[in-house]
Amino acid sequence: MALSQNQQSRGIDQAMSEYKTYVTHLECSETGEIDYEAGKPHGTSRIGKPLMVRYDLAGMKRDLDKNEIWARPGGFWKWRECLPHIDEDNIISLGEDDTPIIPCPTIMRELDITGDLLLKDESRLPTYSFKARGLALAMSMAKQFGISHVAMPTNGNAGGALAAYANRGGVRATIFVPQDAPPTMPREMQMLGSEVIRINGMINDGGKLVGDGVNQVGWFDVSTQREPYRIEGKKTMGLELAAQLGWKAPDAIIYSTGGGTGLVGMWKAFEEMREMGWLESDTMPKMIATQSEGCAPIVKAWDSGEDTAGLWDNAFTHAAGIRVPFALGSRLILKAIRDSGGTAITISEQEIIDARIELGKKEAIHVCPEGASTLTGYKKLLDSGFLKKSDRVVMFNCGNGLKYDMEDRAPIMDIKQPIDWDQFK
Ligand SMILES: *Cc1c(COP(=O)(O)O)cnc(C)c1O
C-alpha cells in the first residue's frame, strides 16, 4: 500500500484513520466537574481552571499492547491511542523523533554515584524544545476543530513550536513576546511565519492581552494550561521515558518548572500507566521541580505548605522558560509534587550558569539554562539526603542552548603579527 505524504513524514507504516481512542470526557482540575464533552473545543473550565482529559483506562488496559506501540516508528505520534482522537488528515507532523537519554558518567564518577544519572535531551525535537510535543497536539486539535486564529504569550520556546505547528496546519498565530526574552526566540517565530509582537511586560501581561483579544478579535487562547491538549502532548514525554527505561519509572525526575505542563503531563502519564498496568515495577518517580531564585512561586508555595501559588513580583531569571510569575495550574503542579513524594527547590542564577558550563565541559552536552538548573538541583538534593547515590535520576533538558546567550571568552589574535606558537603547546 502506498503511503500518504503525511504517513511518510511521520514514519507511520499503517493506515491509522480507523484507530480507536478512549477519551471519555474532560474534567475541571479544581472541582472535578465532568460536564465537558470530548471532541469539542475547550478552553478552561467554567470557573477558569485547567481542564484535564480523562480516558477509559480499563478499555486501554484491555485493548492496547504497550510493546507494539513502542515498536512503531514516528516519535510521539506513535502514542495516538493514548491521546485524544485526531483524524489522520489533521495530524500535523514535522518529523518528530524519540529523544535520547544520555548518561552522565563523568559527574557520576566524581560524585560516587552507584545508581544512575541520566539526562533526557528534549532539544532534539522540531523547533528544538519539548514545547513541540504540546503544541503539535494542541494545533492538530485546533485544525480538527476548524479554529482559524490562535494567540499566545511566550518567553520563547512555546512560541517557536506554536509558530511551526500552526503554520504547517494552516492556522494563523499571533504571538506576544516580552521584549527582554532571548532575541533568537522572536526571530525564530517570524522565520516560521507567525505574527510576532514584542511587549514591554512579562508573560502574564501578554496572557492578559491574549485573554482580552479572545473577545476583541476572536482568537483561540493557547496559553499554558488555558486549553487542555498541550498537557496531553507533554504526557508523551512520560510514556516515552518509561518505555526507554524498560517500562520502569526512575526514582526521581528533575524538571525545571514554569507553567508546569511538563511536570503535570508526565505525572499524568505515570498515573495512567500505573492504572493500565504498564509499569513493571511499583516505583513511581518523585517529581522534583527546580525554579530560579528570581522567580520561584511554586517553591514558595511548596515551602509554606500551600495548595496553590500566587503571583511572584518582579520576576527575574535568564532561564526564560521558567520566568513564569503566575501558574494557572499551580494546584496541579503542587499536587503532582506532593502525590509523588517529590519536592521543589530554588537555584541561583550563578548556579545555573555554572551547571551549564559543567555539563558542557564534563559530559559534552550543551543544555539550556533551564536544563542546567536540574543538575544543581540534583547535587543539592544529594547533599541534603533527599536523593540517594543509589537512585536512578533523570534530569530533563527541555530546550536547545544555542537559542540563549552564551559567554564568549575566546581572545582575538592579530594574524598580521608573527604567531606565538608557544601559547598552543
Ligand atoms: C517552557 C519551558 C520550561 C518550563 O515548562 P513548563 O512545562 O511550562 O513548566 C522549561 N524549560 C524550557 C527550556 C522551556 O522552554
Side-chain angles (χ1 to χ4, degrees):
M1 188 181 61
L3 298 182
S4 72
Q5 205 189 353
N6 204 17
Q7 283 171 334
Q8 276 173 13
S9 70
R10 223 172 36 247
I12 284 173
D13 52 5
Q14 63 191 71
M16 49 165 283
S17 41
E18 283 142 64
Y19 80 96
K20 183 171 167 195
T21 64
Y22 297 84
V23 177
T24 52
H25 62 276
L26 289 82
E27 181 182 303
C28 174
S29 59
E30 187 111 353
T31 63
E33 181 196 22
I34 59 168
D35 188 18
Y36 300 92
E37 213 179 310
K40 292 214 169 120
H42 292 289
T44 53
S45 73
R46 281 176 198 96
I47 60 160
K49 295 297 174 186
L51 283 173
M52 301 295 267
V53 182
R54 297 297 175 206
Y55 297 83
D56 168 17
L57 294 169
M60 292 166 77
K61 180 175 186 171
R62 183 189 61 228
D63 298 348
L64 301 180
D65 175 347
K66 65 184 184 200
N67 292 312
E68 185 272 316
I69 293 178
W70 178 232
R72 296 171 185 167
F76 53 69
W77 287 115
K78 68 164 66 78
W79 304 105
R80 56 190 175 266
E81 289 97 336
C82 304
L83 301 170
H85 189 275
I86 304 172
D87 296 332
E88 155 131 44
D89 288 348
N90 294 327
I91 287 190
I92 309 167
S93 175
L94 285 161
E96 299 74 21
D97 220 335
D98 301 326
T99 64
I101 294 181
I102 309 171
C104 298
T106 307
I107 296 172
M108 279 181 59
R109 212 162 34 240
E110 282 180 8
L111 299 176
D112 267 330
I113 302 305
T114 54
D116 236 337
L117 180 61
L118 306 167
L119 183 134
K120 187 154 170 70
D121 189 7
E122 291 282 300
S123 72
R124 318 295 181 92
L125 287 161
T127 68
Y128 322 107
S129 87
F130 77 141
K131 295 286 195 310
R133 295 180 188 264
L135 284 150
L137 191 72
M139 293 322 296
S140 298
M141 293 303 282
K143 186 179 177 196
Q144 175 145 301
F145 293 140
I147 290 167
S148 59
H149 194 172
V150 300
M152 170 201 275
T154 172
N155 283 322
N157 285 320
L162 172 64
Y165 284 94
N167 182 354
R168 190 81 180 187
V171 178
R172 189 171 156 197
T174 300
I175 307 180
F176 295 94
V177 188
Q179 62 187 7
D180 55 357
T184 350
M185 305 279 189
R187 293 176 194 165
E188 178 192 32
M189 297 166 212
Q190 293 168 70
M191 194 66 81
L192 292 167
S194 275
E195 189 175 3
V196 180
I197 291 112
R198 298 167 68 196
I199 58 166
N200 54 346
M202 267 188 261
I203 190 166
N204 48 318
D205 301 310
K208 181 163 185 324
L209 280 172
V210 171
D212 292 346
V214 168
N215 298 320
Q216 299 286 339
V217 192
W219 290 330
F220 186 79
D221 186 346
V222 285
S223 310
T224 302
Q225 307 257 34
R226 288 195 180 271
E227 62 73 56
Y229 299 112
R230 285 176 61 189
I231 285 194
E232 291 305 300
K234 296 277 181 79
K235 210 174 73 176
T236 63
M237 221 160 33
L239 299 169
E240 187 177 299
L241 173 65
Q244 285 173 316
L245 299 181
W247 301 105
K248 291 193 178 103
D251 296 298
I253 290 174
I254 312 182
Y255 178 85
S256 59
T257 302
T261 49
L263 192 130
V264 172
M266 265 195 282
W267 180 243
K268 188 171 190 282
F270 277 99
E271 286 196 309
E272 290 176 0
M273 283 189 281
R274 179 170 59 183
E275 193 76 19
M276 292 188 291
W278 282 17
L279 295 175
E280 292 180 6
S281 94
D282 293 334
T283 307
M284 287 288 272
K286 294 185 176 74
M287 303 302 294
I288 296 167
T290 56
Q291 295 201 301
S292 161
E293 278 176 1
C295 180
I298 300 298
V299 180
K300 184 174 170 217
W302 175 254
D303 285 345
S304 50
E306 307 283 343
D307 289 338
T308 58
L311 175 72
W312 183 276
D313 287 324
N314 303 317
F316 173 79
T317 168
H318 75 288
I322 53 175
R323 196 171 66 141
V324 181
F326 178 75
L328 184 70
S330 64
R331 183 183 298 276
L332 291 165
I333 301 172
L334 290 159
K335 187 171 188 314
I337 296 172
R338 194 178 316 111
D339 290 354
S340 69
T343 189
I345 55 168
T346 54
I347 315 296
S348 75
E349 292 296 296
Q350 190 57 47
E351 285 169 332
I352 293 177
I353 294 169
D354 294 345
R356 191 172 169 206
I357 293 170
E358 182 176 352
L359 275 163
K361 259 201 173 137
K362 294 186 181 161
E363 307 294 358
I365 309 172
H366 180 192
V367 296
C368 61
E370 297 85 337
S373 76
T374 64
L375 175 61
T376 314
Y378 175 68
K379 290 183 174 179
K380 287 187 171 184
L381 293 171
L382 272 183
D383 284 348
S384 74
F386 185 89
L387 291 175
K388 295 193 286 293
K389 294 194 173 191
S390 57
D391 282 338
R392 167 177 264 193
V393 177
V394 178
M395 307 182 286
F396 268 77
N397 177 49
C398 289
N400 189 319
L402 290 175
K403 288 196 193 181
Y404 299 75
D405 197 20
M406 282 169 278
E407 211 181 327
D408 187 357
R409 274 172 283 158
I412 293 174
M413 187 166 80
D414 182 355
I415 58 169
K416 303 212 168 75
Q417 298 299 318
I419 309 288
D420 166 20
W421 292 106
D422 282 342
Q423 67 176 311
F424 298 114
K425 287 179 183 165

Short mmCIF file of all heavy atoms in Angstrom, two decimals, residues 128-131 154-158 185 224-225 230 234 237 255-265 291 319-324 333 368-371 396-400 404, ligand 1:
data_model
loop_
_atom_site.label_atom_id
_atom_site.label_comp_id
_atom_site.label_asym_id
_atom_site.label_seq_id
_atom_site.Cartn_x
_atom_site.Cartn_y
_atom_site.Cartn_z
N TYR A 128 13.39 22.58 18.44
CA TYR A 128 14.45 22.43 19.45
C TYR A 128 14.00 22.54 20.90
O TYR A 128 14.78 22.93 21.75
CB TYR A 128 15.61 23.42 19.17
CG TYR A 128 15.86 23.57 17.71
CD1 TYR A 128 15.50 24.73 17.03
CD2 TYR A 128 16.41 22.51 16.97
CE1 TYR A 128 15.67 24.84 15.66
CE2 TYR A 128 16.58 22.62 15.61
CZ TYR A 128 16.21 23.78 14.96
OH TYR A 128 16.36 23.90 13.61
N SER A 129 12.76 22.20 21.17
CA SER A 129 12.37 22.13 22.58
C SER A 129 11.19 21.18 22.74
O SER A 129 10.51 20.85 21.76
CB SER A 129 12.00 23.50 23.14
OG SER A 129 10.64 23.79 22.90
N PHE A 130 10.96 20.77 23.99
CA PHE A 130 9.85 19.86 24.29
C PHE A 130 8.50 20.52 24.09
O PHE A 130 7.48 19.86 24.13
CB PHE A 130 9.98 19.35 25.73
CG PHE A 130 9.57 20.34 26.78
CD1 PHE A 130 8.88 19.91 27.90
CD2 PHE A 130 9.86 21.68 26.65
CE1 PHE A 130 8.48 20.82 28.87
CE2 PHE A 130 9.47 22.59 27.62
CZ PHE A 130 8.78 22.15 28.72
N LYS A 131 8.48 21.84 23.88
CA LYS A 131 7.21 22.51 23.62
C LYS A 131 6.55 21.96 22.36
O LYS A 131 5.35 22.08 22.18
CB LYS A 131 7.42 24.02 23.47
CG LYS A 131 7.91 24.74 24.74
CD LYS A 131 6.81 24.86 25.75
CE LYS A 131 7.06 25.85 26.89
NZ LYS A 131 8.32 25.78 27.60
N THR A 154 4.53 34.21 25.25
CA THR A 154 5.59 33.22 25.42
C THR A 154 6.93 33.90 25.67
O THR A 154 7.18 35.00 25.16
CB THR A 154 5.70 32.33 24.17
OG1 THR A 154 6.87 31.49 24.27
CG2 THR A 154 5.86 33.15 22.89
N ASN A 155 7.80 33.23 26.44
CA ASN A 155 9.18 33.69 26.58
C ASN A 155 10.07 33.10 25.50
O ASN A 155 11.26 33.35 25.47
CB ASN A 155 9.73 33.34 27.95
CG ASN A 155 9.20 34.28 29.03
OD1 ASN A 155 9.06 35.47 28.79
ND2 ASN A 155 8.92 33.74 30.20
N GLY A 156 9.51 32.25 24.64
CA GLY A 156 10.32 31.79 23.52
C GLY A 156 10.01 30.43 22.95
O GLY A 156 9.50 30.32 21.84
N ASN A 157 10.31 29.37 23.70
CA ASN A 157 10.24 28.04 23.09
C ASN A 157 8.82 27.64 22.71
O ASN A 157 8.61 26.99 21.68
CB ASN A 157 10.84 27.00 24.03
CG ASN A 157 12.37 27.08 24.05
OD1 ASN A 157 12.99 27.28 23.01
ND2 ASN A 157 12.96 26.93 25.23
N ALA A 158 7.85 28.02 23.53
CA ALA A 158 6.47 27.69 23.19
C ALA A 158 6.07 28.42 21.91
O ALA A 158 5.37 27.86 21.05
CB ALA A 158 5.52 28.05 24.33
N MET A 185 14.57 34.02 19.98
CA MET A 185 13.23 33.41 20.07
C MET A 185 12.21 34.09 19.15
O MET A 185 11.63 33.42 18.29
CB MET A 185 12.75 33.43 21.52
CG MET A 185 13.70 32.78 22.52
SD MET A 185 13.52 30.99 22.52
CE MET A 185 14.55 30.54 23.94
N THR A 224 -0.38 28.49 28.17
CA THR A 224 -0.16 27.36 29.07
C THR A 224 -1.34 27.12 30.00
O THR A 224 -1.77 28.04 30.70
CB THR A 224 1.11 27.63 29.92
OG1 THR A 224 2.20 27.85 29.02
CG2 THR A 224 1.43 26.47 30.83
N GLN A 225 -1.84 25.92 30.00
CA GLN A 225 -2.92 25.45 30.88
C GLN A 225 -4.27 26.14 30.63
O GLN A 225 -5.21 25.97 31.39
CB GLN A 225 -2.55 25.62 32.37
CG GLN A 225 -1.21 24.97 32.73
CD GLN A 225 -1.35 23.65 33.47
OE1 GLN A 225 -2.26 22.91 33.22
NE2 GLN A 225 -0.42 23.36 34.37
N ARG A 230 -2.28 20.73 25.38
CA ARG A 230 -0.82 20.80 25.48
C ARG A 230 -0.32 19.82 26.54
O ARG A 230 0.70 19.15 26.35
CB ARG A 230 -0.37 22.23 25.79
CG ARG A 230 -0.47 23.14 24.56
CD ARG A 230 -0.14 24.58 24.85
NE ARG A 230 1.22 24.76 25.34
CZ ARG A 230 1.70 25.90 25.84
NH1 ARG A 230 0.90 26.96 25.90
NH2 ARG A 230 2.93 25.99 26.26
N LYS A 234 2.40 16.72 26.22
CA LYS A 234 3.58 16.57 27.11
C LYS A 234 3.59 15.23 27.81
O LYS A 234 4.63 14.75 28.26
CB LYS A 234 3.58 17.69 28.15
CG LYS A 234 3.72 19.09 27.58
CD LYS A 234 5.15 19.45 27.32
CE LYS A 234 5.27 20.86 26.76
NZ LYS A 234 5.16 21.89 27.77
N MET A 237 6.04 12.55 26.90
CA MET A 237 7.38 12.56 27.48
C MET A 237 7.51 11.48 28.54
O MET A 237 8.52 10.79 28.65
CB MET A 237 7.59 13.94 28.13
CG MET A 237 8.93 14.52 27.93
SD MET A 237 9.02 16.32 28.17
CE MET A 237 7.87 16.75 29.42
N TYR A 255 12.95 18.48 36.99
CA TYR A 255 12.36 19.18 35.87
C TYR A 255 12.25 20.67 36.21
O TYR A 255 11.74 21.03 37.27
CB TYR A 255 10.97 18.56 35.63
CG TYR A 255 10.20 19.20 34.54
CD1 TYR A 255 10.38 18.81 33.23
CD2 TYR A 255 9.32 20.23 34.83
CE1 TYR A 255 9.68 19.44 32.22
CE2 TYR A 255 8.62 20.86 33.82
CZ TYR A 255 8.81 20.46 32.53
OH TYR A 255 8.13 21.08 31.54
N SER A 256 12.74 21.53 35.35
CA SER A 256 12.67 22.97 35.60
C SER A 256 11.25 23.43 35.28
O SER A 256 10.77 23.25 34.16
CB SER A 256 13.70 23.71 34.75
OG SER A 256 13.49 23.47 33.39
N THR A 257 10.61 24.02 36.27
CA THR A 257 9.16 24.23 36.18
C THR A 257 8.78 25.69 36.02
O THR A 257 9.20 26.54 36.81
CB THR A 257 8.49 23.66 37.45
OG1 THR A 257 8.82 22.27 37.53
CG2 THR A 257 6.99 23.81 37.39
N GLY A 258 8.00 25.96 34.99
CA GLY A 258 7.44 27.29 34.77
C GLY A 258 5.93 27.20 34.93
O GLY A 258 5.39 27.23 36.03
N GLY A 259 5.22 27.04 33.80
CA GLY A 259 3.77 26.86 33.84
C GLY A 259 3.36 25.48 34.29
O GLY A 259 2.21 25.26 34.67
N GLY A 260 4.27 24.52 34.20
CA GLY A 260 4.05 23.21 34.79
C GLY A 260 3.44 22.16 33.88
O GLY A 260 3.14 21.05 34.33
N THR A 261 3.27 22.45 32.58
CA THR A 261 2.65 21.43 31.73
C THR A 261 3.49 20.15 31.66
O THR A 261 2.94 19.06 31.62
CB THR A 261 2.44 21.91 30.27
OG1 THR A 261 3.65 22.48 29.81
CG2 THR A 261 1.32 22.91 30.16
N GLY A 262 4.80 20.31 31.66
CA GLY A 262 5.66 19.13 31.56
C GLY A 262 5.57 18.26 32.79
O GLY A 262 5.37 17.05 32.71
N LEU A 263 5.70 18.88 33.95
CA LEU A 263 5.65 18.12 35.20
C LEU A 263 4.28 17.47 35.39
O LEU A 263 4.18 16.28 35.70
CB LEU A 263 5.99 19.06 36.36
CG LEU A 263 6.25 18.37 37.69
CD1 LEU A 263 7.54 18.87 38.31
CD2 LEU A 263 5.12 18.60 38.65
N VAL A 264 3.24 18.24 35.15
CA VAL A 264 1.88 17.72 35.34
C VAL A 264 1.57 16.64 34.28
O VAL A 264 1.01 15.59 34.59
CB VAL A 264 0.85 18.87 35.26
CG1 VAL A 264 -0.58 18.34 35.24
CG2 VAL A 264 1.04 19.83 36.43
N GLY A 265 1.99 16.90 33.05
CA GLY A 265 1.76 15.94 31.97
C GLY A 265 2.48 14.62 32.22
O GLY A 265 1.92 13.54 32.02
N GLN A 291 13.27 25.82 40.30
CA GLN A 291 12.93 27.17 39.83
C GLN A 291 14.09 28.10 40.17
O GLN A 291 14.90 27.81 41.06
CB GLN A 291 11.65 27.67 40.50
CG GLN A 291 10.42 26.85 40.11
CD GLN A 291 9.12 27.61 40.33
OE1 GLN A 291 8.83 28.00 41.45
NE2 GLN A 291 8.34 27.80 39.26
N ALA A 319 16.91 32.16 32.71
CA ALA A 319 16.30 30.92 32.21
C ALA A 319 14.85 31.25 31.81
O ALA A 319 13.90 31.08 32.57
CB ALA A 319 16.33 29.85 33.29
N ALA A 320 14.71 31.76 30.59
CA ALA A 320 13.46 32.40 30.17
C ALA A 320 12.24 31.49 30.30
O ALA A 320 11.15 31.93 30.64
CB ALA A 320 13.60 32.88 28.73
N GLY A 321 12.42 30.20 30.04
CA GLY A 321 11.29 29.27 30.03
C GLY A 321 10.66 29.08 31.40
O GLY A 321 9.53 28.61 31.51
N ILE A 322 11.40 29.43 32.46
CA ILE A 322 10.84 29.31 33.81
C ILE A 322 10.63 30.69 34.44
O ILE A 322 10.46 30.80 35.65
CB ILE A 322 11.68 28.38 34.72
CG1 ILE A 322 13.15 28.78 34.76
CG2 ILE A 322 11.57 26.94 34.21
CD1 ILE A 322 13.99 27.94 35.75
N ARG A 323 10.63 31.73 33.61
CA ARG A 323 10.24 33.04 34.13
C ARG A 323 8.72 33.17 33.99
O ARG A 323 8.21 33.87 33.13
CB ARG A 323 10.97 34.17 33.40
CG ARG A 323 10.87 35.48 34.18
CD ARG A 323 11.74 36.55 33.60
NE ARG A 323 11.29 36.95 32.29
CZ ARG A 323 11.29 38.20 31.83
NH1 ARG A 323 11.74 39.19 32.59
NH2 ARG A 323 10.87 38.48 30.63
N VAL A 324 8.04 32.46 34.84
CA VAL A 324 6.58 32.42 34.81
C VAL A 324 6.10 32.83 36.20
O VAL A 324 6.06 32.02 37.12
CB VAL A 324 6.08 30.99 34.45
CG1 VAL A 324 4.55 30.96 34.40
CG2 VAL A 324 6.68 30.53 33.13
N ILE A 333 0.40 21.34 39.79
CA ILE A 333 1.85 21.17 39.95
C ILE A 333 2.16 20.72 41.38
O ILE A 333 2.86 19.73 41.61
CB ILE A 333 2.60 22.49 39.67
CG1 ILE A 333 2.31 23.00 38.25
CG2 ILE A 333 4.10 22.32 39.89
CD1 ILE A 333 2.86 24.41 37.97
N CYS A 368 20.25 24.09 27.82
CA CYS A 368 19.74 25.44 28.01
C CYS A 368 19.82 25.77 29.51
O CYS A 368 20.01 24.87 30.33
CB CYS A 368 18.31 25.54 27.49
SG CYS A 368 17.14 24.45 28.33
N PRO A 369 19.68 27.04 29.89
CA PRO A 369 19.77 27.39 31.33
C PRO A 369 18.76 26.62 32.18
O PRO A 369 19.10 26.16 33.28
CB PRO A 369 19.49 28.90 31.34
CG PRO A 369 19.86 29.38 29.98
CD PRO A 369 19.58 28.24 29.04
N GLU A 370 17.53 26.47 31.68
CA GLU A 370 16.51 25.75 32.45
C GLU A 370 16.99 24.33 32.74
O GLU A 370 16.88 23.82 33.86
CB GLU A 370 15.19 25.68 31.67
CG GLU A 370 14.52 27.01 31.38
CD GLU A 370 15.06 27.67 30.12
OE1 GLU A 370 16.19 27.37 29.70
OE2 GLU A 370 14.34 28.51 29.54
N GLY A 371 17.51 23.68 31.70
CA GLY A 371 18.01 22.30 31.84
C GLY A 371 19.17 22.24 32.82
O GLY A 371 19.28 21.31 33.63
N PHE A 396 15.88 16.63 33.06
CA PHE A 396 15.34 16.99 31.75
C PHE A 396 16.01 18.26 31.22
O PHE A 396 16.07 19.27 31.91
CB PHE A 396 13.82 17.22 31.84
CG PHE A 396 13.06 15.96 31.54
CD1 PHE A 396 12.95 14.97 32.50
CD2 PHE A 396 12.50 15.75 30.29
CE1 PHE A 396 12.27 13.78 32.22
CE2 PHE A 396 11.81 14.58 30.00
CZ PHE A 396 11.71 13.59 30.97
N ASN A 397 16.52 18.16 29.99
CA ASN A 397 16.92 19.37 29.27
C ASN A 397 15.85 19.63 28.22
O ASN A 397 15.71 18.89 27.25
CB ASN A 397 18.27 19.20 28.58
CG ASN A 397 18.60 20.45 27.80
OD1 ASN A 397 18.50 21.55 28.33
ND2 ASN A 397 18.96 20.30 26.53
N CYS A 398 15.08 20.69 28.44
CA CYS A 398 13.88 20.88 27.62
C CYS A 398 14.10 21.76 26.39
O CYS A 398 13.20 21.88 25.57
CB CYS A 398 12.76 21.44 28.48
SG CYS A 398 12.16 20.18 29.61
N GLY A 399 15.27 22.38 26.27
CA GLY A 399 15.46 23.25 25.11
C GLY A 399 16.92 23.30 24.68
O GLY A 399 17.82 22.84 25.39
N ASN A 400 17.15 23.88 23.52
CA ASN A 400 18.47 23.93 22.91
C ASN A 400 19.25 25.16 23.41
O ASN A 400 18.77 26.29 23.29
CB ASN A 400 18.30 23.99 21.39
CG ASN A 400 19.61 23.84 20.66
OD1 ASN A 400 20.63 24.39 21.06
ND2 ASN A 400 19.59 23.09 19.58
N TYR A 404 19.98 30.61 23.44
CA TYR A 404 20.21 31.52 24.58
C TYR A 404 21.59 32.16 24.47
O TYR A 404 22.47 31.66 23.76
CB TYR A 404 20.12 30.74 25.89
CG TYR A 404 18.79 30.09 26.15
CD1 TYR A 404 18.41 28.93 25.46
CD2 TYR A 404 17.90 30.62 27.08
CE1 TYR A 404 17.19 28.32 25.71
CE2 TYR A 404 16.68 30.01 27.33
CZ TYR A 404 16.34 28.87 26.65
OH TYR A 404 15.13 28.27 26.89
C1 LIG B 1 8.71 26.18 28.83
C2 LIG B 1 9.99 25.67 29.32
C3 LIG B 1 10.13 25.12 30.60
C4 LIG B 1 9.00 25.09 31.58
O1 LIG B 1 8.00 24.26 31.13
P1 LIG B 1 6.60 24.03 31.83
O2 LIG B 1 6.24 22.65 31.43
O3 LIG B 1 5.67 25.04 31.29
O4 LIG B 1 6.79 24.16 33.30
C5 LIG B 1 11.35 24.59 30.96
N1 LIG B 1 12.41 24.60 30.11
C6 LIG B 1 12.32 25.14 28.88
C7 LIG B 1 13.52 25.12 28.00
C8 LIG B 1 11.11 25.68 28.43
O5 LIG B 1 11.03 26.17 27.20
#
